[in-house]
Amino acid sequence: MATHRKKVKLDGDDFCPRSARDSNGSRTVMSLLDISARCVGEYIPFEMVERHFKPRIPEPVQKRIVYWSFPRSIDQVAIYSTLANDNSGRCIPFQHGLELLETDCVKDVLQIGFNLTGSVVDNVNYSRSTNLEMINVFGNQSVITQRVSMSFDRCTITSVTCSCSTMDMLWCAHVVALAVYRIRYPDKIELRLPISETLLDMNREQLQKFALHLIAEYHIDVLPTAQKLADELLGSNEAAINTTNGAPDPTAGAAVGDDHDWFLDVNQVESRVKNFLSRGIYYRSNQELLSMFSKIEELQKAADSNGPRMLTIITEQLLVDSRLKQWMTQHMPMAQKCRQIWDRLSKLWVGVALNPNASAENIQKWKFMLNEWSLRDYCPKEFDEYRVLPHTTDNTDSEDDDNSFLYERNRLNRIRDDRSAVTLSSSRSIFDSAIEACSLDWDDKFLQGIITGDSKPLINLVDEYNQSLGCNISVWRENLCIAASRVQSLKIHGNIDGALRLAVAIVYGMKEKFKRPKRKHDDGNLDEKCNDNWIGHPLNPVDTIFDILIEASTVTVTSYNNENSVICSCRSLRDCPVNTYLCSHTSKDIKHVRAPNSDNESYLALAYEFALFALSLQRWMPRNSNAQELMKKQEEALISRLRSIDLDSILKTVLRNHVWMLLNDDFPSLLSSYIDRNCVAMHSFAYYLFNSLIDVDQELAFQVGFRSVRLPLDMRRDGNWADQEIEWYIAPHIENSQYKLAGTMLQASQSLPDKLLGVLQAVINHMQSVKYLFKLAKDAMALALCPSNARNVGCGSKRDEDMLNCSFKVGLQVCRLTLHQTSNPKRTDMVRWLVACAVDVGIEALRTLMELWRSLFTPSEATSVLVLTILSTSTLNQLQLCRLREMELVSYARRLALECAREEPQSCCLNALKICRKDLNDFNEAFEIVVTNFNIIPLIELFAIARFFDSCEVYRAYRVALLAMRRVNLAHNQETHYIVSDVYWACSLAHSIGKPELTKMIQFVIKGVHCAPVLADILRRCATPAPSVCIVGGNGQKLISYKIEPLNLLLEAAINCYINTTHERLAHISPRQYSDFISFLCKARDTFLLAENGELQFQQHLIRLKSLYKGKKKLMALVMSQFGEFLKF
């Protein structure tokens, strides 16, 4: 609320002219001259008056007309000097101007005709003037005097000037001070006739003196202009100044055709908008522009023509915003803050176009202008996002927040990249609603009767619509968006009562439409379906109707006595002994105020029922992401407002009756037995209904919950939203709302087994978001382990078995749905949680998991999580089974592990061996599975299995290591490959067993390893005797000879690998690699020298290199420098 409305009384006797009172302050009868002059001064241009009085208007008449031509109320002054919706507490011009007036800072006020001038003394801390007439310094405080001038006509101030340097759209405080001074103290001001009248009384000599003294006083400023005018007057008779009758007089009244709008600094309005556009988008960046929109609404309410004018200026500036072209050419959605600005702009233009007091000429002018704007190349669309058709091949999993974000990001990437598939989601421009509003009229007699409250048209209207509501209730049947726009327009333009009457008629029209009995020829009630969404419309018609009805029920709290405050507890208003009853509200008090000519209903009850209808109606999911987001926000906002109202008995009755209508399929609602797959889900609204009804009518609450948990026709198939006719951009919000509803129902059904079973069935049938199913399962587990009857005293040992079983069954559904989602990062947590939950439930749950494991787990999960958990000591201790049942469970688990190993040996064999270790038969069977499937088991897994055997059965370890070595294939440059350490270990194992085993192992090493350094390392490792075959001599261990098998074969393979690798490296060598190559040759030399003729072989190798690569002179020079001794003959 504006500051001036808090501190200043704008209307009342204090601001009536003093001439209307006598010296005692009592009212006096105005003279006929004043009465007529008051009317003339307010409505008739002064030029028209002059035409009727020849040769001159009498001086007393002139003075009274001039006297009454100045505005008589400070309301408009406040509008032009106050920020709209400003709660910042800062010093605004209007408030500061009143302070200046009250501290007697207004001086030397003079009114000459239709011009008012004066001086205002101000503190320099507020004013930053560069054109000061006078500066006085009193101590440390500087005071300035500003010169103010304003012109006025027909009770409007048409222009203002001030010597201060304040550059703002609002009038400065000095203008406010002078204007309010004139309104409050008109008789204290010296009043003079227009200067032209004064000049008529002068003779030639006086006129000459007047002109010369004026020039002498301001010769620097006016002397050139005076000489120019003199030259024109004395020059040609055809000059314009000589052919025009009379001369301009700034103090005279306006001409007949002149506008007399209140002064608005157009340049400052443009500057503000340009400043907003130049700053870009940041936090609260659009607040200034939204404040200007509120100022426009304030002007419209005051019937000020500057409202549309200011809106036109803002629109023109916004349409040249360079970002519009950028967003459209790059196929990007508009920024959210800018979208908010344009939506507000569209709604304002609808209000302007629907102004009931606007002339046909103005409406046609606005329509032409709106049409011209809508045809511009970069005019925003009603929903301006570009989109592509859904890609049905996408298999995006949106079970997690991150995945949902990736899905949205990928969609936007498709929009940017696939230019050929881009299509506009909407062809309607942002101005189309306003253009359509220009074609509407207010001529309908029934509509006028509703607005004015005329009973005669209302009775005819009831007859025409064949009402059967039992009393003369006015109804209005029209498209809600149009009807709500009428209400908004009436409200904006000051007709609050008419807007309220029309809103009530609209609500009754809606009630009559949906509550009338169905007829056979009502083919689906096409007009009642969701073709035109009430919620999600850019004009937000539901909020418009709801707002005005709530405002009629809202009172500002000052103080109330407890004994006088009555809380309504009656079933209906007919039973109440008084007219109004106080209901509690979070921030304001709302009363049940009976609506006139209603069926004994209050505005609050009508607002509440209207909101319920709006939220209940089936509505299509829009094809556009911005439209879907707008629908979501409007729905959440409306539900939040309903939640803030405490329900008394009247509203509870309204709620119950409405819900029964929904369940009975009285009209196409979101609770109907059948809803189209492209309709919006109602989980958010159902969540509100369930919470509101659970303490009132438990059975009814659960009926609502069971029917509303569903998604429309289970639209989401195989975890993919993209296969729908319409892409659901707000799918994460829908899933979250569904989870909240299901969780609330789950908590309410505790200790109610039949309801719990129904909730479980609904959840399994209709919830397909694994993220929220998993959360729901964990919520149920928490409820089971800490039941409601134990929460007040802390969680004890008693638990809710029914809820625990429910948690387990939901967990089963989670694992079913995620079985084939290998990329799901939460899958491991889900599997572990389900197994832990089964342990808590008992042995039967574990048996269920083992029997159904194929539909719940992968073989790897079954062995690594399920079986290992069952066989753990902690699990067996927790189950507290008898010896026989424990042995049966363990045996079952081992058989399951073997089954998994047969089905997926590549990941289950190692776990199967560990699990079957204590049973020889099962252990042997697991080993045979490894041997049979060694060719599909990953190498790293095979080596891990071999290492597992090394701790218990060395020969089986050797056998598996040998099988693994058969599959090893290391290239010449894979010296750091992860499998190298396993190759070293396998050779060491074979070496420790015996020479035949080592010989066989080396055969596979030579075949599979082509990396010379690795072969050399194996050669040196095997040259050292193993502990089991040490040759003990006088000085200890001796090296095994490289001349005998199998080391001679390994040495030969290593030398050949070095030769081949040398050529491989030289084929693609660069100067940066020369030093590494020399180091490589040093290692090769060391290996060559282990052979009997190694020196000769290395010499020949160098000679071949020198011959083949003689073009690499620098490299060969380095080789000769390092190994020159080998080339000496």
Side-chain angles (χ1 to χ4, degrees):
M1 182 179 290
T3 306
H4 68 273
R5 295 187 181 178
K6 296 179 180 177
K7 298 182 178 181
V8 181
K9 182 178 180 182
L10 299 183
D11 296 310
D13 294 339
D14 290 346
F15 301 118
C16 291
R18 294 296 178 90
S19 59
R21 297 177 180 270
D22 59 14
S23 58
N24 298 323
S26 302
R27 287 281 187 180
T28 60
V29 178
M30 296 178 63
S31 66
L32 291 176
L33 175 60
D34 276 325
I35 294 174
S36 58
R38 182 169 182 166
C39 294
V40 170
E42 186 170 359
Y43 298 109
I44 301 176
F46 190 70
E47 182 187 23
M48 184 177 292
V49 179
E50 288 180 316
R51 291 178 183 175
H52 288 79
F53 288 90
K54 296 297 182 179
R56 294 176 62 184
I57 304 173
E59 182 176 334
V61 175
Q62 282 199 61
K63 285 190 174 181
R64 299 319 294 170
I65 292 176
V66 169
Y67 178 90
W68 290 108
S69 292
F70 198 86
R72 294 184 285 275
S73 172
I74 66 173
D75 286 347
Q76 289 293 110
V77 177
I79 289 176
Y80 284 93
S81 57
T82 308
L83 289 172
N85 301 328
D86 181 68
N87 297 315
S88 61
R90 58 181 174 174
C91 187
I92 58 176
F94 181 78
Q95 188 65 39
H96 184 66
L98 293 184
E99 293 172 359
L100 293 175
L101 176 63
E102 292 168 358
T103 54
D104 199 24
C105 293
V106 180
K107 310 290 185 181
D108 305 328
V109 182
L110 175 65
Q111 180 178 340
I112 303 175
F114 294 87
N115 183 269
L116 183 71
T117 59
S119 302
V120 180
V121 180
D122 196 4
N123 190 302
V124 295
N125 292 332
Y126 179 81
S127 301
R128 294 180 294 276
S129 177
T130 58
N131 183 19
L132 307 182
E133 180 177 294
M134 178 178 60
I135 298 183
N136 297 321
V137 179
F138 301 98
N140 294 326
Q141 184 179 18
S142 298
V143 176
I144 61 174
T145 299
Q146 304 289 2
R147 293 293 302 171
V148 182
S149 175
M150 61 182 65
S151 299
F152 53 91
D153 175 41
R154 284 168 277 180
C155 293
T156 58
I157 297 175
T158 56
S159 68
V160 298
T161 57
C162 182
S163 59
C164 71
S165 60
T166 303
M167 303 294 291
D168 198 353
M169 181 184 71
L170 302 177
W171 293 355
C172 67
H174 317 110
V175 172
V176 172
L178 181 61
V180 176
Y181 182 92
R182 171 59 176 81
I183 294 171
R184 287 191 179 181
Y185 312 112
D187 296 331
K188 290 185 177 180
I189 298 174
E190 185 178 0
L191 181 61
R192 299 291 184 88
L193 294 177
I195 195 67
S196 56
E197 296 292 328
T198 305
L199 294 178
L200 290 175
D201 295 333
M202 295 183 183
N203 58 30
R204 180 183 179 86
E205 184 179 356
Q206 289 174 326
L207 286 172
Q208 288 178 340
K209 287 185 178 180
F210 174 80
L212 291 174
H213 279 284
L214 184 62
I215 294 172
E217 184 73 20
Y218 301 102
H219 65 279
I220 296 177
D221 296 326
V222 303
L223 188 57
T225 304
Q227 185 61 52
K228 177 184 176 183
L229 292 175
D231 292 342
E232 291 179 356
L233 286 170
L234 296 175
S236 173
N237 292 331
E238 296 180 358
I241 194 171
N242 291 323
T243 58
T244 305
N245 293 327
D249 182 3
T251 64
V256 174
D258 291 349
D259 292 331
H260 62 288
D261 298 327
W262 284 82
F263 175 73
L264 176 68
D265 195 334
V266 175
N267 294 329
Q268 288 302 318
V269 175
E270 291 180 354
S271 176
R272 275 203 176 191
V273 181
K274 289 178 180 177
N275 187 37
F276 161 75
L277 296 176
S278 65
R279 289 199 301 257
I281 303 298
Y282 60 91
Y283 178 68
R284 294 183 65 86
S285 64
N286 60 345
Q287 292 303 309
E288 184 174 3
L289 202 55
L290 292 176
S291 177
M292 294 174 71
F293 287 156
S294 297
K295 176 60 68 177
I296 292 171
E297 291 179 345
E298 194 175 359
L299 291 170
Q300 288 179 310
K301 190 172 183 179
D304 194 322
S305 60
N306 277 330
R309 183 183 175 201
M310 185 174 174
L311 186 59
T312 302
I313 296 169
I314 295 174
T315 305
E316 286 284 4
Q317 293 300 316
L318 291 178
L319 281 171
V320 296
D321 184 5
S322 60
R323 287 171 296 184
L324 293 178
K325 180 179 179 180
Q326 176 186 350
W327 289 324
M328 190 166 292
T329 55
Q330 296 182 4
H331 309 291
M332 292 288 291
M334 185 182 294
Q336 192 61 36
K337 287 182 180 292
C338 291
R339 168 50 56 185
Q340 183 183 9
I341 293 294
W342 280 104
D343 287 344
R344 183 77 178 274
L345 188 79
S346 172
K347 196 170 184 178
L348 284 172
W349 272 117
V350 171
V352 169
L354 268 178
N355 183 359
N357 302 318
S359 65
E361 180 184 357
N362 282 336
I363 291 177
Q364 289 304 313
K365 180 184 72 174
W366 295 328
K367 186 175 182 179
F368 176 83
M369 188 167 53
L370 291 167
N371 274 312
E372 189 272 328
W373 288 337
S374 66
L375 295 175
R376 293 192 183 181
D377 292 339
Y378 303 113
C379 176
K381 302 299 179 182
E382 193 168 56
F383 294 110
D384 67 333
E385 181 193 1
Y386 286 79
R387 64 184 297 276
V388 294
L389 297 177
H391 288 203
T392 55
T393 56
D394 290 350
N395 189 24
T396 307
D397 172 29
S398 62
E399 52 83 17
D400 189 79
D401 280 340
D402 294 335
N403 289 343
S404 296
F405 171 75
L406 289 174
Y407 177 53
E408 177 69 5
R409 188 178 67 181
N410 291 337
R411 181 189 62 77
L412 289 176
N413 288 338
R414 295 201 306 270
I415 291 173
R416 296 188 186 99
D417 299 336
D418 193 2
R419 301 301 189 210
S420 61
V422 172
T423 57
L424 271 176
S425 61
S426 174
S427 59
R428 286 175 58 86
S429 79
I430 198 75
F431 301 111
D432 275 8
S433 295
I435 293 171
E436 293 166 358
C438 290
S439 301
L440 301 175
D441 58 57
W442 299 81
D443 299 334
D444 189 284
K445 62 178 181 179
F446 301 132
L447 176 62
Q448 290 297 324
I450 292 172
I451 295 173
T452 59
D454 187 359
S455 59
K456 235 177 155 185
L458 297 185
I459 296 175
N460 294 336
L461 183 64
V462 173
D463 295 338
E464 181 169 321
Y465 284 108
N466 194 19
Q467 301 296 316
S468 58
L469 298 177
C471 57
N472 292 332
I473 299 174
S474 57
V475 298
W476 181 249
R477 294 283 300 277
E478 189 179 27
N479 179 281
L480 182 69
C481 298
I482 297 175
S485 297
R486 292 186 188 276
V487 172
Q488 183 70 10
S489 182
L490 288 170
K491 180 181 175 182
I492 288 177
H493 293 95
N495 191 352
I496 304 296
D497 293 337
L500 183 59
R501 294 189 195 101
L502 182 56
V504 172
I506 292 170
V507 175
Y508 274 113
M510 179 202 65
K511 290 173 63 175
E512 184 272 336
K513 174 181 179 181
F514 293 125
K515 290 185 177 182
R516 66 187 176 195
K518 291 184 178 179
R519 297 182 292 273
K520 292 183 179 180
H521 61 271
D522 286 346
D523 186 13
N525 291 329
L526 295 178
D527 61 329
E528 298 169 9
K529 287 189 176 180
C530 44
N531 297 325
D532 191 7
N533 292 344
W534 291 2
I535 295 178
H537 195 282
L539 298 179
N540 202 356
V542 175
D543 244 24
T544 299
I545 304 297
F546 186 80
D547 277 344
I548 195 164
L549 293 173
I550 288 295
E551 288 171 6
S553 309
T554 306
V555 294
T556 303
V557 179
T558 51
S559 63
Y560 292 94
N561 297 326
N562 292 333
E563 60 273 12
N564 294 331
S565 299
V566 183
I567 302 299
C568 180
S569 60
C570 301
R571 291 189 176 272
S572 70
L573 286 173
R574 290 190 180 93
D575 303 327
C576 299
V578 293
N579 286 338
T580 58
Y581 300 88
L582 191 64
C583 291
S584 61
H585 190 271
T586 55
S587 59
K588 295 179 180 179
D589 283 345
I590 299 178
K591 291 185 177 183
H592 278 294
V593 180
R594 283 197 183 101
N597 298 322
S598 68
D599 189 18
N600 207 27
E601 292 185 273
S602 68
Y603 291 123
L604 177 58
L606 290 173
Y608 187 72
E609 189 172 10
F610 174 75
L612 294 179
F613 269 109
L615 290 166
S616 304
L617 284 176
Q618 291 185 20
R619 53 186 183 273
W620 293 118
M621 177 63 76
R623 293 183 178 273
N624 181 281
S625 64
N626 277 345
Q628 292 182 17
E629 188 67 23
L630 179 63
M631 177 182 289
K632 182 193 77 173
K633 289 183 177 180
Q634 288 186 7
E635 181 184 46
E636 288 179 339
L638 185 58
I639 293 174
S640 176
R641 297 185 68 179
L642 292 182
R643 195 178 292 118
S644 68
I645 301 175
D646 290 338
L647 301 184
D648 58 12
S649 60
I650 295 177
L651 299 184
K652 288 177 182 177
T653 301
V654 171
L655 177 62
R656 292 183 60 184
N657 293 339
H658 181 78
V659 171
W660 279 119
M661 286 179 58
L662 302 182
L663 295 175
N664 292 334
D665 288 348
D666 287 349
F667 62 92
S669 73
L670 292 173
L671 273 182
S672 297
S673 301
Y674 169 82
I675 55 177
D676 191 277
R677 64 181 299 143
N678 289 313
C679 280
V680 181
M682 68 166 298
H683 303 126
S684 297
F685 181 46
Y687 178 75
Y688 168 76
L689 293 178
F690 185 87
N691 285 317
S692 301
L693 287 169
I694 192 63
D695 295 328
V696 179
D697 191 329
Q698 187 182 83
E699 185 65 30
L700 188 59
F702 275 103
Q703 287 187 46
V704 171
F706 291 148
R707 190 175 287 190
S708 57
V709 168
R710 65 187 175 179
L711 288 168
L713 284 185
D714 290 332
M715 66 192 75
R716 189 178 179 192
R717 302 188 295 272
D718 299 327
N720 185 15
W721 290 93
D723 59 355
Q724 300 308 304
E725 298 175 20
I726 297 175
E727 192 167 355
W728 292 59
Y729 299 92
I730 57 172
H733 167 73
I734 294 174
E735 292 170 341
N736 180 58
S737 302
Q738 187 185 37
Y739 158 72
K740 288 174 61 179
L741 174 62
T744 303
M745 293 173 61
L746 198 68
Q747 185 172 355
S749 62
Q750 196 167 11
S751 72
L752 300 172
D754 57 332
K755 302 299 182 188
L756 181 60
L757 184 61
V759 174
L760 175 62
Q761 194 64 36
V763 166
I764 292 176
N765 289 343
H766 301 297
M767 284 191 68
Q768 298 187 34
S769 168
V770 290
K771 169 188 174 181
Y772 290 112
L773 272 172
F774 188 37
K775 289 181 68 175
L776 195 65
K778 292 192 287 187
D779 292 345
M781 171 70 80
L783 290 172
L785 299 180
C786 188
S788 57
N789 54 12
R791 283 180 209 151
N792 294 332
V793 293
C795 295
S797 59
K798 187 177 179 181
R799 62 185 191 178
D800 188 335
E801 296 295 339
D802 292 332
M803 188 64 72
L804 191 60
N805 276 285
C806 176
S807 173
F808 174 67
K809 291 177 181 178
V810 176
L812 292 177
Q813 180 71 357
V814 171
C815 286
R816 286 192 195 100
L817 293 176
T818 58
L819 177 59
H820 301 294
Q821 295 178 1
T822 56
S823 61
N824 192 328
K826 300 292 183 66
R827 169 69 183 178
T828 303
D829 294 339
M830 294 170 180
V831 170
R832 289 175 178 170
W833 182 89
L834 178 61
V835 174
C837 180
V839 172
D840 286 334
V841 174
I843 187 172
E844 294 302 323
L846 291 173
R847 285 186 178 275
T848 300
L849 294 184
M850 289 190 288
E851 291 171 358
L852 303 176
W853 76 269
R854 292 180 186 277
S855 63
L856 300 172
F857 313 111
T858 63
S860 176
E861 292 169 345
T863 54
S864 63
V865 180
L866 176 60
V867 177
L868 289 179
T869 301
I870 292 175
L871 298 181
S872 66
T873 304
S874 60
T875 300
L876 296 176
N877 291 338
Q878 182 177 346
L879 294 175
Q880 296 181 350
L881 303 175
C882 65
R883 182 62 180 171
L884 180 60
R885 295 193 68 186
E886 183 176 312
M887 291 177 62
E888 290 177 355
L889 181 64
V890 171
S891 177
Y892 198 164
R894 287 172 181 163
R895 289 196 299 273
L896 176 57
L898 290 174
E899 187 178 353
C900 293
R902 292 190 198 96
E903 188 164 321
E904 196 176 284
Q906 57 267 33
S907 61
C908 299
C909 284
L910 182 57
N911 284 328
L913 287 167
K914 293 177 181 178
I915 291 167
C916 299
R917 191 171 185 175
K918 295 183 180 179
D919 188 287
L920 182 59
N921 293 331
D922 291 341
F923 189 71
N924 291 335
E925 187 175 350
F927 176 72
E928 290 302 322
I929 294 173
V930 173
V931 174
T932 305
N933 298 280
F934 81 95
N935 58 332
I936 62 173
I937 298 176
L939 267 180
I940 192 168
E941 187 78 6
L942 268 180
F943 279 115
I945 293 173
R947 289 175 185 267
F948 167 75
F949 280 119
D950 192 22
S951 61
C952 55
E953 297 189 27
V954 175
Y955 284 96
R956 283 189 173 178
Y958 168 74
R959 186 177 176 184
V960 176
L962 196 63
L963 292 173
M965 192 60 69
R966 292 172 61 178
R967 296 177 52 201
V968 171
N969 186 16
L970 285 176
H972 70 91
N973 57 350
Q974 291 185 306
E975 184 179 355
T976 59
H977 195 275
Y978 67 88
I979 210 70
V980 170
S981 61
D982 289 317
V983 173
Y984 291 156
W985 174 84
C987 293
S988 299
L989 176 66
H991 188 27
S992 67
I993 296 175
K995 184 176 180 180
E997 288 76 11
L998 179 60
T999 301
K1000 197 168 185 179
M1001 183 67 71
I1002 286 179
Q1003 291 176 357
F1004 291 110
V1005 169
I1006 293 173
K1007 290 181 181 179
V1009 179
H1010 308 287
C1011 182
V1014 174
L1015 289 175
D1017 284 347
I1018 295 173
L1019 179 67
R1020 290 180 177 85
R1021 288 168 186 260
C1022 293
T1024 304
S1028 59
V1029 291
C1030 288
I1031 300 175
V1032 182
N1035 294 325
Q1037 296 181 357
K1038 294 182 179 180
L1039 296 176
I1040 299 177
S1041 175
Y1042 295 108
K1043 299 179 182 180
I1044 61 175
E1045 292 186 358
L1047 296 189
N1048 61 340
L1049 301 176
L1050 186 60
L1051 177 58
E1052 183 181 354
I1055 290 173
N1056 290 333
C1057 280
Y1058 268 118
I1059 292 173
N1060 294 332
T1061 303
T1062 301
H1063 293 295
E1064 290 284 347
R1065 298 188 66 168
L1066 285 173
H1068 305 286
I1069 197 168
S1070 66
R1072 293 181 302 175
Q1073 299 169 332
Y1074 286 175
S1075 60
D1076 290 339
F1077 181 73
I1078 297 297
S1079 300
F1080 172 77
L1081 283 181
C1082 291
K1083 294 180 181 179
R1085 178 196 59 189
D1086 296 340
T1087 302
F1088 272 82
L1089 294 178
L1090 295 177
E1092 287 187 8
N1093 58 347
E1095 185 174 351
L1096 179 60
Q1097 292 184 50
F1098 188 67
Q1099 183 186 54
Q1100 293 174 349
H1101 179 53
L1102 293 177
I1103 292 172
R1104 284 194 297 271
L1105 293 180
K1106 183 178 179 182
S1107 174
L1108 293 173
Y1109 302 101
K1110 57 185 177 181
K1112 301 181 183 293
K1113 296 181 180 180
K1114 184 176 180 180
L1115 177 60
M1116 290 300 105
L1118 291 174
V1119 172
M1120 293 295 296
S1121 174
Q1122 184 70 28
F1123 305 106
E1125 68 272 12
F1126 288 96
L1127 298 177
K1128 293 177 182 179
F1129 296 96

